[in-house]
Amino acid sequence: MPNITIKKVKAILTAPVGINLIVVKVETSVPGLYGLGCATFAYLEKAVKCVVEDYFDPLLHGRDAANIEDIWQLMNNNSYWRNGPVINNAISGVDMALWDIKGKLANMPLYDLLGGKSRSAAAVYRHADGKTLEEIAENVQKFRDQGVQHIRIQWGGYGGKSENIHRPDAVPQGIYYDPKLYIRNTIKLFEYIRNKTGYDVELLHDTHERISPIDAVVLAKELEPFRLFFLEDILSPEQGDWFRMIRSQCSTPIANGELYNNPKEWDFLITNRLIDFIRVHISQIGGITAARKLAIFCEQFGIRTAWHGPGDVSPVGHAANIHLDLVCRNFGIQEWSGIRDASLEVFPGSPELRNGYVYANDKPGLGIDINEELAARYPCKTEPTGWTQTRIPDGALYTP
Ligand code: MG
């Protein structure tokens, strides 16, 4: 096959539902042949655009679009320092786009190119939240009525309800929560929902790293009787060594990793079997090439995948998640926040949820496109991020 070269690499910024999304488009020497990739770092969108357009475009111009692995290594090493979130997202945008191009050339959906389907569709978990226990139970039932069999339950969002926090004078502004109250309420929540539902539905919970390491041990033990599908992000990447403590004291299944961007944050957790599910944000680790290697690494140790799938992943990134889910032998579960109407119009070909399962379409590559004219009608907002300014009762900042 004659060489098909990279002609242009650009970043498209759009916010169809108010969340900044970054999609990379790689154009080739063949007119009309291009690929799309997710580079969504919603809170530093302009920094990613700068790396893509001011550094990667000139670096990649004229290179053979077929050589994905070589181009991945080139992008990873070119600026000497590596494994940061901005560069990893920029790498992911190009990487996914090159896989998309390869699929289009082969006339195969990505799942075929990567070895074919291990399953028909990806089972998902949805998010049930609420201000009261009754409201959460109603939301759980709504999802069950829609055929969803895995449901994440939270009482009052990450870190729990924020009323009645005992604070000193003159505390700074921020998103306040009380870690001890949160732990007590989360145990109450599981008692209440299990009493209502019994054990024929899978329940999950996301701690979002909002408790101290020793409290993480306590919570994992206290939740053990409720047979969670998994307990998510109970420790921050900086505190990974504490997983040994949790593991030695209870059998609550552990999922971790949506903040990871350096392989050193996960390799010892996998080889020592300290977690049960890896749940990275695949653009944050460098795209499909990196995620496929990570999934195969996890497979050797009996660890399953649960790729991050919230609103701050673009539909292109969701499509990449689903193609990997279909292929990987050790798929566990897929987080699914839903793709809302405006995003569906901007991104034709998005994956579809039916009866608790998400399906990729069978078009070549990622099977998804972008309507650039429509995307331009939803500009991104660049402003200081508020929700990450989380504080505990005495006013100190804590990981969000
Ligand atoms: Mg999470």
Side-chain angles (χ1 to χ4, degrees):
M1 192 182 284
N3 281 5
I4 291 169
T5 56
I6 294 174
K7 194 173 141 203
K8 187 176 180 189
V9 180
K10 70 171 185 178
I12 302 164
L13 271 51
T14 183
V17 295
I19 300 172
N20 293 345
L21 304 175
I22 305 122
V23 171
V24 169
K25 184 172 189 180
V26 174
E27 294 171 1
T28 69
S29 51
V30 176
L33 177 63
Y34 61 87
L36 299 176
C38 182
T40 300
F41 185 178
Y43 315 108
L44 287 176
E45 77 288 353
K46 286 183 179 167
V48 176
K49 182 180 172 69
C50 170
V51 174
V52 168
E53 296 189 345
D54 295 350
Y55 296 92
F56 285 175
D57 180 52
L59 176 68
L60 302 179
H61 187 86
R63 291 183 191 270
D64 190 334
N67 299 334
I68 300 176
E69 179 68 31
D70 185 68
I71 288 173
W72 196 97
Q73 300 298 339
L74 178 72
M75 293 187 289
N76 192 44
N77 291 324
N78 195 249
S79 52
Y80 187 48
W81 280 282
R82 50 190 182 268
N83 296 317
V86 173
I87 188 167
N88 280 3
N89 272 286
I91 290 171
S92 166
V94 174
D95 176 77
M96 287 187 194
L98 293 177
W99 279 108
D100 193 22
I101 290 166
K102 200 177 277 294
K104 287 176 177 175
L105 281 170
N107 198 26
M108 285 182 185
L110 183 70
Y111 61 74
D112 259 345
L113 207 59
L114 295 178
K117 284 183 182 177
S118 289
R119 56 188 54 76
S120 308
V124 299
Y125 73 88
R126 305 294 315 262
H127 303 166
D129 204 324
K131 287 202 175 81
T132 62
L133 293 171
E134 294 75 15
E135 189 186 347
I136 301 164
E138 278 169 28
N139 288 330
V140 166
Q141 192 53 47
K142 268 185 215 159
F143 283 128
R144 295 188 79 187
D145 293 343
Q146 295 166 17
V148 177
Q149 293 166 302
H150 302 76
I151 301 166
R152 193 190 78 174
I153 54 172
Q154 311 284 142
W155 189 356
Y158 302 129
K161 300 192 299 175
S162 56
E163 302 103 65
N164 307 322
I165 291 183
H166 186 66
R167 295 190 287 188
D169 297 338
V171 290
Q173 278 196 329
I175 311 294
Y176 276 83
Y177 68 101
D178 179 338
K180 296 288 185 187
L181 177 66
Y182 158 65
I183 289 170
R184 291 196 299 276
N185 281 345
T186 299
I187 296 161
K188 261 190 228 165
L189 166 66
F190 272 86
E191 280 167 351
Y192 183 87
I193 298 292
R194 276 297 184 216
N195 277 335
K196 285 244 165 199
T197 64
Y199 283 77
D200 66 341
V201 59
E202 296 286 359
L203 297 179
L204 303 80
H205 181 74
D206 188 355
T207 313
H208 235 259
E209 315 172 1
R210 291 194 180 187
I211 54 179
S212 69
I214 192 62
D215 282 341
V217 180
V218 171
L219 181 61
K221 284 172 68 174
E222 293 282 340
L223 291 179
E224 191 176 26
F226 304 109
R227 296 280 183 269
L228 274 63
F229 185 78
F230 66 53
L231 181 57
E232 175 176 330
D233 282 335
I234 192 156
L235 292 168
S236 68
E238 296 86 349
Q239 299 301 339
D241 276 335
W242 282 82
F243 280 115
R244 295 178 200 282
M245 205 79 88
I246 293 174
R247 208 49 148 186
S248 66
Q249 297 196 39
C250 70
S251 61
T252 296
I254 299 294
N256 229 73
E258 68 186 54
L259 271 92
Y260 296 161
N261 52 64
N262 184 326
K264 284 292 145 200
E265 289 165 328
W266 63 67
D267 64 354
F268 79 101
L269 299 176
I270 295 165
T271 55
N272 290 292
R273 299 173 174 86
L274 297 177
I275 59 173
D276 301 278
F277 297 86
I278 187 83
R279 50 172 289 93
V280 300
H281 185 103
I282 71 173
S283 68
Q284 174 81 4
I285 66 160
I288 291 165
T289 296
R292 179 74 174 131
K293 290 178 185 179
L294 175 56
I296 292 167
F297 178 41
C298 285
E299 185 183 351
Q300 314 310 309
F301 295 91
I303 292 165
R304 287 177 278 171
T305 65
W307 310 126
H308 193 217
D312 50 12
V313 165
S314 75
V316 176
H318 286 293
N321 281 344
I322 304 307
H323 280 273
L324 287 168
D325 295 340
L326 295 180
V327 171
C328 293
R329 176 73 190 87
N330 54 325
F331 165 74
I333 191 76
Q334 180 58 56
E335 182 180 30
W336 188 253
S337 55
I339 301 176
R340 285 185 271 156
D341 289 351
S343 267
L344 290 172
E345 287 169 18
V346 173
F347 295 98
S350 292
E352 284 176 28
L353 175 71
R354 295 195 295 277
N355 204 24
Y357 289 95
V358 171
Y359 296 79
N361 68 49
D362 300 326
K363 291 181 192 147
L366 287 165
I368 189 166
D369 209 344
I370 186 166
N371 180 332
E372 290 187 61
E373 252 176 57
L374 204 51
R377 287 192 216 157
Y378 302 101
C380 288
K381 274 198 191 128
T382 301
E383 54 192 18
T385 304
W387 74 266
T388 52
Q389 299 181 37
T390 44
R391 294 180 184 273
I392 52 177
D394 68 358
L397 279 163
Y398 210 79
T399 48

